[in-house]
Amino acid sequence: MSLDALAVALRARLRPDQVLTDRQQLRTYECDGLAHYRVIPGIVVLPRTAEECAFTVRACAAAGVPFVARGSGTGLSGGALPHAEGALIVTSQLRSIIEVAPHDERAVVEPGVINLEVSRAAGPHGYYYAPDPSSQQICSIGGNVAENSGGAHCLKYGFTTNHVTGAQIVTPDGELVRLGGRAPDAPGYDLLGAFVGSEGTLGIATEVTVRLVRLPETVRTLLAAFRGTDEAGAATSAIIAAGVVPAAVEMMDALAIEAAEAAVHCGYPEGAGAVLIVELDGPAAEVAAQFEAVEEFCRASGAFEIRIAADDAERALFWKGRKSAFAAVGRISPDYIVQDGVIPRTALPQVLTRIGELAAEHGVRVANVFHAGDGNLHPLVLFDEAVAGQAERAETVSGAILDICVEHGGSITGEHGVGVDKAKHLPRMYSEDDLDTMQLVRCAFDPRGLANPGKVFPTPRLCGEVPGRRKGPHPLQEAGVAEVF
Amino acid sequence: MSLDALAVALRARLRPDQVLTDRQQLRTYECDGLAHYRVIPGIVVLPRTAEECAFTVRACAAAGVPFVARGSGTGLSGGALPHAEGALIVTSQLRSIIEVAPHDERAVVEPGVINLEVSRAAGPHGYYYAPDPSSQQICSIGGNVAENSGGAHCLKYGFTTNHVTGAQIVTPDGELVRLGGRAPDAPGYDLLGAFVGSEGTLGIATEVTVRLVRLPETVRTLLAAFRGTDEAGAATSAIIAAGVVPAAVEMMDALAIEAAEAAVHCGYPEGAGAVLIVELDGPAAEVAAQFEAVEEFCRASGAFEIRIAADDAERALFWKGRKSAFAAVGRISPDYIVQDGVIPRTALPQVLTRIGELAAEHGVRVANVFHAGDGNLHPLVLFDEAVAGQAERAETVSGAILDICVEHGGSITGEHGVGVDKAKHLPRMYSEDDLDTMQLVRCAFDPRGLANPGKVFPTPRLCGEVPGRRKGPHPLQEAGVAEVF
């Protein structure tokens, strides 16, 4: 009923092809990049302007219909999973690059703009947009903002939150509000910081101001082959401990290499138990000096072959294996789970050993492809849905990996977000008090809980249910005094 | 009455010398670094542990007494100005460095720890704490977190918010909660980001986890003298446009140089209408190459003398003039206002010209000392309280400078915070809707408005008064439809 009313309200202002209710059309949107959760949305809306987006949210608010925002739908935590009784607001039509201002080192873009397009627009001015998720050819800035996306080069350049200085957003009651601006730091609360990475639960970005980074003078890339991940991990630690900050340090283990070879024939050194891709960028003089040091650390840690990319084509080949690794795993296993956890870099050897033992105990295979430089693991847990019990065992191993990350002082997600997939894991990191505090902020923005419900937080609650924060004895009782007030 | 009750409650648990009510003792705390606002606090509390701090806040909550947190009291926006009917909670006794973990590039400290002490503790391990307010020898980490403090080297390294990865805080109802952690980015809302820079209105930090940065291999510093600020500004733009990111680019104009000479005899080149201090740090090879380029840019922009620091002693001398500049202005003027605004670097020449015109129009002198590299101005508006009308004229000029900053796409504060001083200016940057959104977050943490009331926000309001955010016509009316729901 309320969905029907919503459709009427929306169609009164939007074009027919902006409001989809046909089940065949709706099915196109049933999942994002995490395809094992599927929900057909109640209605799909495709606004073309910020005002249309705000109007859509106001219409949802008036109808009491929950809404989920979606960019390109490449997310890996199910953050854009639709709501069966809700509206899916797709921002892909908001795709203008509004301004490129190289002198201010800023660009202003709409949320549907593809990540790589920002760099393409800035390139002729000598700039680019630094955060580079593997999906950067298709993922959108709006989705990047929602999930605070990372990428291989975030080791040196930081995550999306470090590159967004301002945004116009639609709040869950449909107001257009500006957060931040062009300056690196605005007065008042850093609500922009809270918004970036809030996974659509605090509103929808309709315009984003991003930092542009100067294109480096030089980029140099090497690929080092080791007998095993321990040696590759030691090389990583040595590089970082020496104060070198590479643009990227990526590791793949034997199983990941096998998958990549099968899929894209990247020709990595034979017999490698682990490869490390190390990329340095910056002024030529700095890169030259540090590159030698990196080579030396790799050799000293046991690299048996080091290849240095002679040109852009060879660099692209090194990266091809790495960037295709997730999809490539499909070549060696019918099904797999992509896990995303973070550990302190120093714990790499212990954690990889524990993951190996865990896999052996449960009889599943785990391929490791990850951002070694910042300890952001992406274990791929392989299984075959057709074999009874394997999916469950894979789930068990995948969850246990997160426990290992947390035990080692890490985090349950590095760059994929919590979404629907990890909401249940959030209490592994946060106490009830911590979660209550986050919930208070959510309720401030969205008292009716209409913005992307069921994501991020483990237990859906009405805002009235968030406990008054005061617990425990009265301070006078604590102090042993009977009565004063 | 409630203050008396609070004193009883506190004394039941804390030592006598931790709860001050004697008016003579209270007067010591009547202002922070912005001495032209003075209020004697109702009561002063000096907790020694996080638990005592939480207990104190709970006691304030129970008694309905507002509270203000204070570190070393060096802030320049009156953020730690006491409340006459409230408690001043001084964190200077919480001064343990809990842990220095160089391998994880982290240190864990209590809020009363002095900024420079963190670097002293990390130094033997080859690390330091990067944000460096001019007051770093006396200001505390807790205060830095509250105000999101900057410093000369924030051009390259970022502000406090970029260097805090976790905190334990006392919420305004007295709960101890953890935000963030050791990982560079934690899942869930970035409440830590919202907390850093919230100027004591969301709670009090009782433990802070900060990033440590590797000590650079080399530091090189030059001082370039120009005929005027236009030339020095052009040099700054040329350096940044070339993709060089110096650790610091600081500018002083003729009047600021005059003051510094009078106070510390720093011996800057005679006849300089502006000096630029440019510092580069990093790997020796990079610094050497870029240093040459910087020299060349200075010369090409009209520098008539360039001095290169031969050793640490000479570098210290360059910086002595700059770091003493604020206080030094006292030598040439009985009174002055330190302003703090931000503009896009490209607008430097126009803005400095406008400030000069403004000063001439109102018959006051303005000295400029600032972080040129990131466009963070610190105009010092000189006046003599004893001369009728001068203080008012200085206030007018000081306020008008902020208008100029905002007109040029900048901000009303770069690093000193809003505090009590700039609360009235916040509407120059934010619409009512924007301010309402911040207020909602404040109310989520502090529904009774007891945490540092009267700071940051222009109009004190009860949380019940923050309007329901829904305004304007119903979406169906907007769309021209009469009735559906």
Side-chain angles (χ1 to χ4, degrees), chain B residues 113-466:
Chain B
V113 169
I114 301 304
N115 175 298
L116 200 58
E117 291 301 324
V118 183
S119 291
R120 289 221 174 97
H125 306 281
Y127 286 84
Y128 76 111
Y129 177 64
D132 60 338
S134 293
S135 57
Q136 70 177 141
Q137 300 194 22
I138 43 169
C139 65
S140 68
I141 294 293
N144 292 176
V145 168
E147 299 296 333
N148 185 22
S149 303
H153 292 81
C154 291
L155 169 59
K156 179 168 181 176
Y157 292 102
F159 291 80
T160 300
T161 193
N162 305 115
H163 293 269
V164 172
T165 66
Q168 182 190 52
I169 71 161
V170 181
T171 62
D173 53 0
E175 301 292 335
L176 284 169
V177 164
R178 289 198 175 271
L179 306 177
R182 287 193 174 216
D185 202 75
Y189 298 150
D190 182 14
L191 296 185
L192 181 66
F195 182 81
V196 176
S198 62
E199 308 195 20
T201 63
L202 300 182
I204 303 175
T206 50
E207 189 191 291
V208 184
T209 302
V210 299
R211 285 174 58 205
L212 297 177
V213 175
R214 189 90 187 170
L215 283 165
E217 190 185 331
T218 318
V219 182
R220 293 193 72 190
T221 313
L222 66 75
L223 184 140
F226 298 84
R227 293 295 165 206
T229 52
D230 272 14
E231 296 176 349
T236 305
S237 292
I239 293 165
I240 304 283
V244 177
V245 184
V249 180
E250 299 285 307
M251 201 194 296
M252 295 167 70
D253 71 3
L255 196 53
I257 297 168
E258 179 192 329
E261 289 294 350
V264 300
H265 314 292
C266 43
Y268 287 173
E270 290 213 16
V275 297
L276 216 53
I277 299 176
V278 185
E279 191 159 281
L280 297 180
D281 67 9
E286 170 191 0
V287 170
Q290 295 194 333
F291 203 73
E292 266 182 53
V294 167
E295 259 190 88
E296 192 39 49
F297 287 126
C298 287
R299 252 181 249 291
S301 306
F304 66 84
E305 186 174 338
I306 294 180
R307 294 181 189 170
I308 295 166
D311 50 29
D312 285 351
E314 196 172 357
R315 169 176 314 112
L317 193 64
F318 289 178
W319 279 107
K320 194 174 176 188
R322 165 63 186 88
K323 294 213 168 175
S324 68
F326 287 9
V329 162
R331 295 279 182 139
I332 60 167
S333 175
D335 305 289
Y336 61 94
I337 299 168
V338 181
Q339 193 44 282
D340 169 46
V342 181
I343 52 168
R345 205 166 30 228
T346 42
L348 261 180
Q350 302 99 286
V351 169
L352 290 180
T353 302
R354 279 291 297 131
I355 291 176
E357 292 166 359
L358 199 64
E361 279 163 33
H362 292 82
V364 297
R365 291 186 301 165
V366 177
N368 287 292
V369 189
F370 58 96
H371 310 312
D374 44 15
N376 185 183
L377 306 180
H378 290 311
L380 297 152
V381 185
L382 315 188
F383 65 99
D384 185 347
E385 185 95 62
V387 178
Q390 271 211 9
E392 292 70 25
R393 293 210 301 277
E395 268 296 345
T396 304
V397 168
S398 180
I401 288 173
L402 294 186
D403 281 332
I404 296 172
C405 290
V406 173
E407 275 163 29
H408 283 82
S411 163
I412 60 167
T413 168
E415 55 186 11
H416 297 172
V418 177
V420 69
D421 196 37
K422 290 192 170 165
K424 62 180 179 295
H425 298 305
L426 216 56
R428 293 181 196 217
M429 287 193 66
Y430 294 111
S431 73
E432 213 174 300
D433 266 355
D434 299 341
L435 292 172
D436 281 353
T437 306
M438 290 191 201
Q439 192 72 30
L440 284 169
V441 171
R442 180 188 204 155
C443 293
F445 276 80
D446 184 21
R448 297 163 69 200
L450 295 178
N452 213 8
K455 312 294 167 64
V456 185
F457 294 104
T459 349
R461 282 189 301 186
L462 297 176
C463 285
E465 292 172 358
V466 181

Side-chain angles (χ1 to χ4, degrees), chain A residues 1-2 4-6 8-10 12-13 55 58-63 103-105 127 148 159 161-162 169 171 173 175-180 182-191 193-194 196-199 201-202 214 240-243 283 285-286 289-290 342 344-346 374 409-414 417-418 426 429-431 433-434 437-442 444-445 456-457 468-476 478-481 484-485, chain B residues 1-2 4-6 8-10 12-13 55 58-63 103-105 127 148 159 161-162 169 171-173 175-180 182-191 193-194 196-199 201-202 214 240-243 283 285-286 289-290 342 344-346 374 409-414 417-418 426 429-430 433-434 437-442 444-445 456-457 468-476 478-481 484-485:
Chain A
M1 167 56 199
S2 56
D4 293 341
L6 178 65
V8 171
L10 292 171
R13 172 151 164 189
F55 171 79
R58 280 199 299 280
C60 289
H103 292 301
D104 291 340
E105 302 185 327
Y127 285 84
N148 186 20
F159 291 79
T161 194
N162 305 114
I169 71 161
T171 63
D173 54 1
E175 300 292 334
L176 284 168
V177 164
R178 289 198 174 270
L179 306 177
R182 287 193 173 215
D185 202 75
Y189 298 151
D190 182 14
L191 297 185
V196 176
S198 62
E199 308 196 20
T201 64
L202 300 182
R214 189 92 188 169
I240 304 283
E286 170 191 0
Q290 295 194 335
V342 182
R345 202 167 34 229
T346 42
D374 44 15
S411 164
I412 58 166
T413 167
V418 177
L426 215 57
M429 287 193 66
Y430 294 111
S431 73
D433 266 355
D434 300 341
T437 306
M438 289 191 203
Q439 191 72 31
L440 284 170
V441 171
R442 180 187 204 156
F445 276 79
V456 185
F457 295 103
R469 317 241 16 264
R470 183 72 194 88
K471 298 182 205 95
H474 188 280
L476 276 180
E478 285 180 73
V481 175
V484 172
F485 302 106
Chain B
M1 167 56 203
S2 55
D4 293 342
L6 177 65
V8 171
L10 292 171
R13 172 151 166 190
F55 171 79
R58 280 198 298 281
C60 288
H103 292 301
D104 291 341
E105 303 186 324
Y127 286 84
N148 185 22
F159 291 80
T161 193
N162 305 115
I169 71 161
T171 62
D173 53 0
E175 301 292 335
L176 284 169
V177 164
R178 289 198 175 271
L179 306 177
R182 287 193 174 216
D185 202 75
Y189 298 150
D190 182 14
L191 296 185
V196 176
S198 62
E199 308 195 20
T201 63
L202 300 182
R214 189 90 187 170
I240 304 283
E286 170 191 0
Q290 295 194 333
V342 181
R345 205 166 30 228
T346 42
D374 44 15
S411 163
I412 60 167
T413 168
V418 177
L426 216 56
M429 287 193 66
Y430 294 111
D433 266 355
D434 299 341
T437 306
M438 290 191 201
Q439 192 72 30
L440 284 169
V441 171
R442 180 188 204 155
F445 276 80
V456 185
F457 294 104
R469 315 243 16 266
R470 183 74 192 88
K471 297 182 206 94
H474 189 280
L476 275 180
E478 284 179 72
V481 175
V484 173
F485 302 106

